Amino acid sequence: SDVCSSDLLERALLKLRAEFDAAGKVRQYDALKVFLTQEAGPGGYDAVAAQLQLKPGTVAVTVHRLRGRYRELLRAEVAETVMDPKDIDAEIRALFFGEA
C-alpha cells in the first residue's frame, strides 16, 4: 500500500539523517537531501557549496555517496518486508515507478 511505501522511504531517510547527525553533519544532510530526488543542473551545486563552505566538486561526490547510502538503507528496509531476497529489486521498482 502507499502508506507502507512512504513509511519505508521515510524510515530510510530517518536512518540516513541519523547517520549524518551522529557524524556531526546534520546541517550538511539538510542542505543536500534535496538532491536525493532531483538532479542538479549546470552549476546546481554552487549555492549549496557556498552555504556549506565546500567546493562544488566535493558537494557532487558527497551527493553521490548520499544517494548510494540511501539506496543501501532502502534496500535493507525493503528486505525486511519480502519473503524472498530475489523480490527486493522488484519491490524497489514498485516503490518508485509503480511497477508490480
Side-chain angles (χ1 to χ4, degrees), residues 55-71:
K55 292 184 171 79
T58 302
V59 171
V61 169
T62 304
V63 167
H64 178 75
R65 291 181 181 148
L66 182 75
R67 288 176 178 159
R69 184 63 185 139
Y70 179 58
R71 278 191 300 272

Side-chain angles (χ1 to χ4, degrees), residues 5-27:
S5 299
S6 62
D7 286 351
L8 289 172
L9 298 171
E10 187 65 24
R11 280 203 300 269
L13 282 173
L14 287 171
K15 287 181 179 179
L16 186 60
R17 189 177 196 278
E19 289 179 2
F20 271 72
D21 194 18
K25 295 183 176 184
V26 78
R27 185 170 160 262

Side-chain angles (χ1 to χ4, degrees), residues 33-50:
K33 70 181 175 188
V34 64
F35 299 114
L36 284 172
T37 55
Q38 79 183 39
E39 291 296 321
Y45 293 135
D46 293 353
V48 76

